[in-house]
Amino acid sequence: MIALEGVRDMPAAKPPEFRRRALDLVAQGEPVVRVAKDLGISESCLCRWIEVDAVDTGRKVGLTSDEKKELVELRRRNRSWKRSWRSSNAPRRTSPGRTSSQNSDPAGPRVGRRPHPCRGDLSGAEPATFDVLRGHRS
Protein backbone atom coordinates (compact mmCIF):
# COMPACT_ATOMS: atom_id res chain seq x y z
CA MET A 1 0.00 0.00 0.00
CA ILE A 2 1.34 3.41 -0.93
CA ALA A 3 1.05 5.97 1.86
CA LEU A 4 0.10 9.46 0.74
CA GLU A 5 1.73 12.41 2.38
CA GLY A 6 -0.36 13.66 5.29
CA VAL A 7 -2.65 10.61 5.22
CA ARG A 8 -2.30 8.02 7.97
CA ASP A 9 -2.60 4.30 7.38
CA MET A 10 -5.39 2.50 9.17
CA PRO A 11 -4.17 0.82 12.34
CA ALA A 12 -4.06 -2.95 12.35
CA ALA A 13 -7.14 -4.72 13.67
CA LYS A 14 -6.79 -5.87 17.25
CA PRO A 15 -7.55 -9.46 18.25
CA PRO A 16 -10.79 -10.19 20.14
CA GLU A 17 -8.86 -10.99 23.35
CA PHE A 18 -7.26 -7.54 23.28
CA ARG A 19 -10.66 -5.89 22.87
CA ARG A 20 -12.14 -8.00 25.67
CA ARG A 21 -9.32 -6.98 28.02
CA ALA A 22 -9.86 -3.30 27.21
CA LEU A 23 -13.61 -3.61 27.82
CA ASP A 24 -13.00 -5.42 31.11
CA LEU A 25 -10.70 -2.62 32.30
CA VAL A 26 -13.36 0.01 31.50
CA ALA A 27 -16.04 -2.15 33.21
CA GLN A 28 -13.84 -2.26 36.35
CA GLY A 29 -13.99 1.52 36.52
CA GLU A 30 -10.80 2.55 34.75
CA PRO A 31 -11.23 5.81 32.82
CA VAL A 32 -11.56 5.41 29.05
CA VAL A 33 -8.80 7.97 28.47
CA ARG A 34 -6.28 6.04 30.62
CA VAL A 35 -7.17 2.61 29.18
CA ALA A 36 -6.89 3.89 25.61
CA LYS A 37 -3.54 5.55 26.31
CA ASP A 38 -2.13 2.50 28.15
CA LEU A 39 -3.15 0.15 25.34
CA GLY A 40 -2.01 2.46 22.52
CA ILE A 41 -5.40 2.94 20.90
CA SER A 42 -7.51 6.04 20.35
CA GLU A 43 -10.30 7.00 22.70
CA SER A 44 -12.79 6.96 19.84
CA CYS A 45 -11.77 3.37 19.00
CA LEU A 46 -12.33 2.24 22.58
CA CYS A 47 -15.67 4.10 22.75
CA ARG A 48 -16.74 2.32 19.57
CA TRP A 49 -15.82 -1.04 21.09
CA ILE A 50 -17.89 -0.15 24.18
CA GLU A 51 -20.91 0.72 22.00
CA VAL A 52 -20.62 -2.48 19.95
CA ASP A 53 -20.32 -4.55 23.13
CA ALA A 54 -23.41 -2.88 24.60
CA VAL A 55 -25.44 -3.84 21.51
CA ASP A 56 -23.99 -7.37 21.31
CA THR A 57 -24.83 -8.04 24.99
CA GLY A 58 -28.35 -6.61 24.67
CA ARG A 59 -27.85 -3.57 26.90
CA LYS A 60 -28.47 -1.28 23.96
CA VAL A 61 -30.81 -1.57 20.95
CA GLY A 62 -29.24 -2.03 17.52
CA LEU A 63 -27.87 -4.58 15.08
CA THR A 64 -25.48 -7.03 16.70
CA SER A 65 -22.14 -7.85 15.09
CA ASP A 66 -23.52 -11.17 13.83
CA GLU A 67 -26.58 -9.46 12.36
CA LYS A 68 -24.38 -6.90 10.61
CA LYS A 69 -22.24 -9.68 9.12
CA GLU A 70 -25.37 -11.48 7.93
CA LEU A 71 -26.76 -8.27 6.42
CA VAL A 72 -23.51 -7.62 4.54
CA GLU A 73 -23.55 -11.19 3.19
CA LEU A 74 -27.21 -10.96 2.12
CA ARG A 75 -26.62 -7.64 0.37
CA ARG A 76 -23.61 -9.13 -1.44
CA ARG A 77 -25.70 -12.12 -2.58
CA ASN A 78 -28.53 -9.80 -3.63
CA ARG A 79 -26.16 -7.69 -5.78
CA SER A 80 -24.76 -10.83 -7.35
CA TRP A 81 -28.26 -12.18 -8.04
CA LYS A 82 -29.40 -8.87 -9.56
CA ARG A 83 -26.35 -8.77 -11.85
CA SER A 84 -26.95 -12.31 -13.08
CA TRP A 85 -30.69 -11.68 -13.47
CA ARG A 86 -30.13 -8.49 -15.46
CA SER A 87 -27.61 -10.14 -17.75
CA SER A 88 -29.85 -13.16 -18.37
CA ASN A 89 -32.95 -11.03 -19.03
CA ALA A 90 -31.29 -8.30 -21.05
CA PRO A 91 -32.77 -7.71 -24.52
CA ARG A 92 -30.70 -9.35 -27.25
CA ARG A 93 -29.69 -7.36 -30.30
CA THR A 94 -30.68 -9.04 -33.56
CA SER A 95 -30.49 -6.22 -36.06
CA PRO A 96 -29.36 -2.61 -35.92
CA GLY A 97 -31.74 -0.54 -33.84
CA ARG A 98 -34.04 -3.43 -32.91
CA THR A 99 -34.03 -5.85 -30.01
CA SER A 100 -35.23 -9.42 -30.11
CA SER A 101 -38.32 -8.48 -28.12
CA GLN A 102 -39.25 -5.96 -30.83
CA ASN A 103 -38.68 -8.53 -33.56
CA SER A 104 -40.57 -11.38 -31.93
CA ASP A 105 -43.65 -9.53 -30.68
CA PRO A 106 -46.54 -9.92 -33.10
CA ALA A 107 -48.29 -6.76 -34.15
CA GLY A 108 -51.45 -6.11 -32.17
CA PRO A 109 -54.81 -5.24 -33.66
CA ARG A 110 -55.07 -1.88 -35.32
CA VAL A 111 -57.24 0.27 -33.15
CA GLY A 112 -59.89 2.40 -34.84
CA ARG A 113 -59.60 0.78 -38.27
CA ARG A 114 -61.84 -1.64 -40.06
CA PRO A 115 -60.35 -5.02 -40.89
CA HIS A 116 -58.96 -5.39 -44.39
CA PRO A 117 -61.65 -6.86 -46.67
CA CYS A 118 -59.33 -9.59 -47.98
CA ARG A 119 -58.27 -10.81 -44.54
CA GLY A 120 -59.92 -12.02 -41.40
CA ASP A 121 -63.58 -12.67 -40.61
CA LEU A 122 -65.87 -11.01 -43.12
CA SER A 123 -69.17 -12.31 -41.73
CA GLY A 124 -71.63 -9.49 -41.52
CA ALA A 125 -69.53 -7.19 -43.65
CA GLU A 126 -71.11 -5.65 -46.69
CA PRO A 127 -69.46 -6.59 -49.94
CA ALA A 128 -67.49 -3.71 -51.35
CA THR A 129 -68.23 -2.67 -54.87
CA PHE A 130 -65.64 -1.02 -57.01
CA ASP A 131 -66.42 1.30 -59.86
CA VAL A 132 -63.81 0.36 -62.41
CA LEU A 133 -64.39 3.40 -64.60
CA ARG A 134 -64.13 5.94 -61.77
CA GLY A 135 -61.48 4.14 -59.68
CA HIS A 136 -63.15 4.41 -56.31
CA ARG A 137 -65.33 2.36 -53.98
CA SER A 138 -69.02 2.96 -53.78
Side-chain angles (χ1 to χ4, degrees):
M1 180 175 162
I2 300 173
L4 299 175
E5 193 173 319
V7 177
R8 288 201 238 166
D9 290 332
M10 290 291 295
K14 306 295 185 204
E17 305 82 33
F18 182 88
R19 292 179 185 206
R20 185 78 260 151
R21 192 173 96 222
L23 293 171
D24 289 344
L25 289 171
V26 172
Q28 293 171 3
E30 291 289 330
V32 173
V33 176
R34 182 181 297 150
V35 173
K37 185 177 179 185
D38 290 347
L39 296 177
I41 59 175
S42 68
E43 291 176 47
S44 62
C45 177
L46 183 54
C47 288
R48 175 82 178 121
W49 291 353
I50 293 168
E51 291 292 317
V52 168
D53 184 61
V55 171
D56 287 348
T57 57
R59 294 176 305 192
K60 190 174 181 181
V61 177
L63 289 177
T64 64
S65 299
D66 291 338
E67 291 170 332
K68 286 180 184 179
K69 286 177 188 174
E70 182 182 9
L71 184 59
V72 167
E73 174 63 20
L74 291 172
R75 285 179 175 166
R76 185 193 61 75
R77 284 189 203 169
N78 197 18
R79 277 192 309 272
S80 174
W81 177 82
K82 282 181 181 179
R83 271 195 302 272
S84 65
W85 185 83
R86 283 185 191 135
S87 65
S88 67
N89 290 328
R92 308 287 187 260
R93 290 267 180 199
T94 57
S95 60
R98 301 202 61 161
T99 61
S100 61
S101 61
Q102 289 172 326
N103 292 334
S104 63
D105 287 345
R110 293 196 265 178
V111 179
R113 295 186 183 182
R114 295 186 324 180
H116 192 277
C118 297
R119 297 185 197 113
D121 183 16
L122 297 177
S123 62
E126 294 182 19
T129 57
F130 192 86
D131 187 352
V132 177
L133 297 176
R134 296 189 183 156
H136 60 77
R137 289 181 192 251
S138 57

